[in-house]
């Protein structure tokens, strides 16, 4: 996803992803709502530590749907 929009999406507030588990921790820092559906049980899966790092870098996040 980093190659989309030249790595800059300052107005993106709501994001829903299905079967996608890998992104940089500071990439979606303006999200207020994140939905993660049907995340992979195999292959590329974020570690708990990297997911918590992502949440730490998402100060505006109000809603998380897993």
């Amino acid at each position: 996803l980093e190659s989309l929009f030249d790595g800059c999406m300052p107005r993106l507030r709501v994001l829903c992803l299905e079967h996608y588990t890998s992104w940089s921790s500071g990439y979606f820092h303006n999200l207020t709502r994140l939905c993660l559906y049907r995340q992979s049980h195999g292959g590329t899966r974020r570690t708990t530590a990297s997911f918590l790092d992502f949440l730490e870098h998402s100060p505006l996040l109000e809603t998380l749907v897993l």
Side-chain angles (χ1 to χ4, degrees):
L1 283 177
E2 285 81 1
S3 62
L4 291 175
F5 308 107
D6 197 27
C8 183
M9 294 186 284
R11 296 182 139 203
L12 184 65
R13 301 288 185 255
V14 177
L15 180 65
C16 293
L17 297 172
E18 184 174 343
H19 298 291
Y20 191 81
T21 58
S22 180
W23 59 82
S24 301
S25 62
Y27 194 62
F28 298 118
H29 61 274
N30 287 324
L31 290 180
T32 58
R33 179 177 172 89
L34 175 64
C35 307
L36 299 173
Y37 298 107
R38 295 185 180 103
Q39 298 303 295
S40 174
H41 290 284
T44 307
R45 187 173 184 185
R46 296 180 66 91
T47 64
T48 301
S50 67
F51 185 68
L52 292 175
D53 186 50
F54 167 79
L55 293 177
E56 183 178 349
H57 287 91
S58 304
L60 302 177
L61 194 62
E62 298 173 355
T63 304
L64 175 62
V65 178
L66 302 174

